[in-house]
Amino acid sequence: MNLLLRFATIALVAVGLSGVGKTAKSEIIAMWQQNLNSGRYGIFTDVPVEFGDVVSYFDSDPFLHWLLTNSDVGQTIYRDATDPQFAAFVANLTNGIDNTLVFNTSGAGSGSTESAVFGGVFGGNGIDLAGFQIDTVGLRVDSLSIVSPGSNPNGDGQWTNTSGQISFLFEGVRAVPEPTTSCMALAGLACGGYTMFRRRKRA
């Protein structure tokens, strides 16, 4: 009888654990912070930002786009599955290959390997976000200053300087096993335990 109780206890614990993560809410998995520092000819009140995960500079890789103004400071602007580029962007982000993250704004920008950004993510593969369900990519405007005519190097008043700091936020959840898989495993465990109990009892 003790053996049956042990298997029943294990099965109950497994049932409890099988539910862990199924109702997990989307949370920030990783962040990539960048500085804005650019100048461009003309008078502007906004600054375009594009963000891509580049497999090859010779391919047409998907980019996410934002248009920021000074009023966006303190805001996080999200891109999700409603963006036509999002699915392809996430496919690159989770393909297990060390691609290059690239951000551009007004002709200035920077890049970094995925492993440099995601290498320390808990539960990750040390390369990218493979194994995670990415729900949204947010651009948080930590600080921003768009000034015209700014430094005005041409002396004609046609110039805009942009400075500030932004953070790209990757939000989602860790992939979990399908419920049916967990249920089948638990059923097998229970049957195996009961069979062992019956055999021991007959002996």
Side-chain angles (χ1 to χ4, degrees):
M1 189 66 179
N2 288 336
L3 185 61
L4 179 60
L5 288 174
R6 288 178 187 175
F7 271 94
T9 302
I10 293 172
L12 288 172
V13 171
V15 168
L17 292 177
S18 68
V20 174
K22 288 181 183 176
T23 58
K25 294 182 179 179
S26 185
E27 61 183 357
I28 297 175
I29 297 169
M31 178 179 70
W32 190 41
Q33 197 170 66
Q34 292 295 307
N35 293 320
L36 297 176
N37 188 10
S38 64
R40 52 182 168 155
Y41 187 76
I43 301 297
F44 301 96
T45 58
D46 51 43
V47 57
V49 174
E50 60 176 8
F51 181 37
D53 193 343
V54 178
V55 175
S56 170
Y57 287 100
F58 301 102
D59 294 334
S60 179
D61 289 289
F63 275 77
L64 305 179
H65 299 267
W66 291 263
L67 194 62
L68 306 179
T69 66
N70 286 329
S71 63
D72 290 321
V73 174
Q75 303 296 314
T76 302
I77 308 168
Y78 293 95
R79 295 290 178 263
D80 56 23
T82 60
D83 187 308
Q85 297 290 300
F86 187 79
F89 178 89
V90 170
N92 286 354
L93 199 67
T94 57
N95 63 6
I97 301 171
D98 197 6
N99 304 326
T100 303
L101 294 175
V102 175
F103 122 85
N104 295 305
T105 175
S106 301
S110 64
S112 178
T113 60
E114 288 179 325
S115 58
V117 178
F118 306 126
V121 171
F122 178 75
N125 60 4
I127 300 174
D128 62 3
L129 296 180
F132 289 89
Q133 172 189 308
I134 307 302
D135 298 324
T136 60
V137 174
L139 188 159
R140 187 180 68 201
V141 186
D142 301 316
S143 62
L144 181 63
S145 175
I146 302 172
V147 181
S148 295
S151 58
N152 195 21
N154 300 319
D156 59 1
Q158 297 295 308
W159 194 261
T160 300
N161 286 106
T162 300
S163 61
Q165 187 177 75
I166 59 176
S167 299
F168 295 105
L169 309 177
F170 304 87
E171 299 190 10
V173 297
R174 181 68 183 172
V176 297
E178 291 294 329
T180 52
T181 303
S182 300
C183 290
M184 289 178 66
L186 291 174
L189 179 64
C191 290
Y194 182 71
T195 301
M196 289 182 66
F197 168 73
R198 294 273 296 179
R199 288 178 180 175
R200 183 174 178 181
K201 187 176 181 180
R202 288 176 181 176

